[in-house]
Amino acid sequence: MATTDTTMQGGGGYDRHAGVQRLSAEFALPLLRRAAQEAALPRDARAVVLADYGSATGANSVTAVAVAIEALRARTPAPILCFHEDQPKNDFRTLLETIASGPQSYLREHEGVFACAIGKSFYEPVLPPGFVDVGWSAAAAHWLSPAPAPIGVLLAAPTPGLAAGTSLWEQARRDWRRFVELRQTELRPGGRMVVVVATVDDDGICGGEHAYDFLQAAVARLVAEGDLSVAERAGMFIPLFFLPRADLESPFSKGLRLLDHVRVVASDPLWSAFERSGDTDAFATGFTGWLRAHTEPCLFGALAQRTEEERRRLADRVYGEVASAVRDHPEVVHCPWRMAALLFGKSN
Amino acid sequence: MATTDTTMQGGGGYDRHAGVQRLSAEFALPLLRRAAQEAALPRDARAVVLADYGSATGANSVTAVAVAIEALRARTPAPILCFHEDQPKNDFRTLLETIASGPQSYLREHEGVFACAIGKSFYEPVLPPGFVDVGWSAAAAHWLSPAPAPIGVLLAAPTPGLAAGTSLWEQARRDWRRFVELRQTELRPGGRMVVVVATVDDDGICGGEHAYDFLQAAVARLVAEGDLSVAERAGMFIPLFFLPRADLESPFSKGLRLLDHVRVVASDPLWSAFERSGDTDAFATGFTGWLRAHTEPCLFGALAQRTEEERRRLADRVYGEVASAVRDHPEVVHCPWRMAALLFGKSN
């Protein structure tokens, strides 16, 4: 059964365009610092373990992990071992090079810190039980677990048209519960974790309702013009889902206590830059780069019958049309994303 | 300062052609089993830690690691965490996919086993002190630490022409001592490790004296024909060095005891197949594939001023000439490698 590939773009492409994800998670760094300050530390001499779930190629992860390392280093001289997790198809060479020698490399900044990568979906156990002292996951757990394809819709994200109780919403609830339960198992008693996801507010607004409109239209045009078959189109799927407050808070209980839940309207850094510069071309390029970096693998990777060359050609056309549409109507893709950060702790 | 890239070929190329390395390390698997049977196990509930140093893209590693896992599983139901280490430029996606879902995947075969990758040279600390219960390294520690380029010779391997006391021999001794000291630090007291390297026998014979002759000749021809500059040629370097018994045994003492040192003449699997089949083309293809998989990155990656396309074209020509020479004189590259496996243990 074909499943959707939710790996991010490799070769540095994701990192070059993931400023939106980084800035929309920045509000949660104080929570991560608190997690590192409050986590129970191992009493034996073994290393303190940090785990970063959904690291992609790492540019965003290193900044966050450095915050946790600083807070831990202030408490203990013990070695710190950082695990960066993503799916097996992730570009781990770029990830490990970013960690080892990128401009933000925490390995160069800190002594006694070690890093490694795990290639496995975070909807499975990825580390031994009771192993993790401090966990972090940013802009990752709103990606659904692999969904059977073809699924018939391009985008799972809640939109005004998506009613409560749909099967995708149910899957998102199940996935979130599973994600939290797995991390609970992996946390050490006394451990702390922070998860940042996009969310919808009490009115069901995620802030990026129209972020994918031009993309949907461009893909539809390929079908209308006969360059993409209806069957191929049915297999193309962006499995994003943004849960409301109540769903996000539901998996917590006495064994895993929700200690804080901060919710913000993130500023859209691309839009802010556009407001300052008025440069429509730069905005269209930036927005399309961001969009392509997180959607090209899942959308065009699904075209299993096509050569890589054909997939790239189709993608070039689609994202080219998106860029052109953004140039004409930049206001449509202004995205003040609703973001949620949850800090939770495993009981001793 | 430019340094030689000793990363193995990515994209599965190394694995397809690394049967020689796998079979020449097979004699050491009983030592690895013994290491896993004898290593002191952690008394607390934490995971047993296996470390594989110089894993390349993993096809050879998974077979060996599975042997250690089986021996450990017979002793304990504790989680087992396997670290696979290689340089930052290694193809970690292929490595992690091989581990997660390759035909020999130990993750599919065993419960409670977890895997991750480290992107750092094994001539640096790669894991916290006292962290590793069982270590393994096969056909890796005979690669020297990065040497400054240009160094002026194509191959560091001891040849009849290389006198004792040369600076490369000195570097090999220093590198080996550093490798062993770093692993001693990383081993837990009571931990065990097995290292397999190519060696020279008491007559100074490594068995592969002529393995690189056709390669040297083909590169020299590029220079003679003006397609490679003398300066470029001077930066091309295969930093392999095979130490004799005394050098290999010199770093051990009471704190790190050498428990066994097995030395064999490995059969050459490519040559054996050739003897059975008489198929010169298949032999030339197999030999050249093996040669290219472990030498192309270091030789042609050094041509920093060339485009990737130019590097590939030059490499195609060089390895094409090697294949042709092997077809004419297959007997020259029959390689009965002298191999050494050392089992050592850190004192409690």
Side-chain angles (χ1 to χ4, degrees), chain A residues 66-192:
Chain A
V67 167
I69 288 172
E70 267 163 39
L72 288 168
R73 204 28 103 234
R75 298 176 64 200
T76 174
I80 298 172
L81 179 53
C82 305
F83 290 86
H84 295 273
E85 178 278 345
D86 211 302
Q87 298 177 82
K89 284 190 178 171
N90 185 51
D91 179 358
F92 287 102
R93 172 151 51 182
T94 298
L95 170 65
L96 289 168
E97 286 193 293
T98 299
I99 294 168
S101 52
Q104 308 283 328
S105 163
Y106 59 77
L107 290 185
R108 290 187 314 181
E109 290 298 311
H110 295 276
E111 290 283 306
V113 177
F114 302 87
C116 55
I118 301 171
K120 209 172 165 190
S121 162
F122 55 48
Y123 291 114
E124 299 175 67
V126 301
L127 280 167
F131 201 75
V132 176
D133 297 294
V134 177
W136 166 256
S137 177
H142 49 223
W143 288 91
L144 298 177
S145 68
I151 197 157
V153 299
L154 190 69
L155 183 66
T159 61
L162 186 77
T166 62
S167 65
L168 283 171
W169 194 331
E170 279 314 305
Q171 185 186 339
R173 283 198 182 107
R174 275 198 311 276
D175 282 349
W176 172 245
R177 185 170 287 277
R178 180 156 175 77
F179 178 85
V180 172
E181 281 171 3
L182 287 164
R183 301 300 86 81
Q184 175 173 10
T185 302
E186 288 163 2
L187 273 180
R188 223 164 70 86
R192 295 282 184 275

Side-chain angles (χ1 to χ4, degrees), chain B residues 270-287:
Chain B
L270 299 172
W271 184 258
S272 306
F274 173 54
E275 283 192 318
R276 286 192 301 274
S277 71
D279 185 339
T280 317
D281 281 344
F283 178 65
T285 304
F287 176 84

Side-chain angles (χ1 to χ4, degrees), chain A residues 93, chain B residues 5-9 86-91 293-294 297-298:
Chain A
R93 172 151 51 182
Chain B
D5 177 9
T6 52
T7 308
M8 299 296 102
Q9 204 176 65
D86 212 301
Q87 297 177 83
K89 283 191 178 171
N90 185 51
D91 179 358
H294 73 280
C298 63

Side-chain angles (χ1 to χ4, degrees), chain B residues 57-146:
Chain B
T57 41
N60 291 357
S61 291
V62 289
T63 316
V65 163
V67 167
I69 289 172
E70 267 162 40
L72 288 168
R73 203 31 100 234
R75 299 176 65 199
T76 174
I80 298 172
L81 179 54
C82 306
F83 290 85
H84 295 274
E85 177 278 343
D86 212 301
Q87 297 177 83
K89 283 191 178 171
N90 185 51
D91 179 358
F92 287 102
R93 172 151 54 182
T94 298
L95 171 65
L96 289 167
E97 285 193 294
T98 299
I99 294 168
S101 52
Q104 309 282 328
S105 163
Y106 59 77
L107 289 186
R108 289 187 315 183
E109 290 297 312
H110 295 275
E111 291 282 307
V113 177
F114 302 86
C116 54
I118 300 171
K120 208 171 164 189
S121 161
F122 53 48
Y123 291 114
E124 298 175 68
V126 302
L127 280 167
F131 201 75
V132 175
D133 298 293
V134 178
W136 167 256
S137 177
H142 48 224
W143 288 92
L144 298 177
S145 67

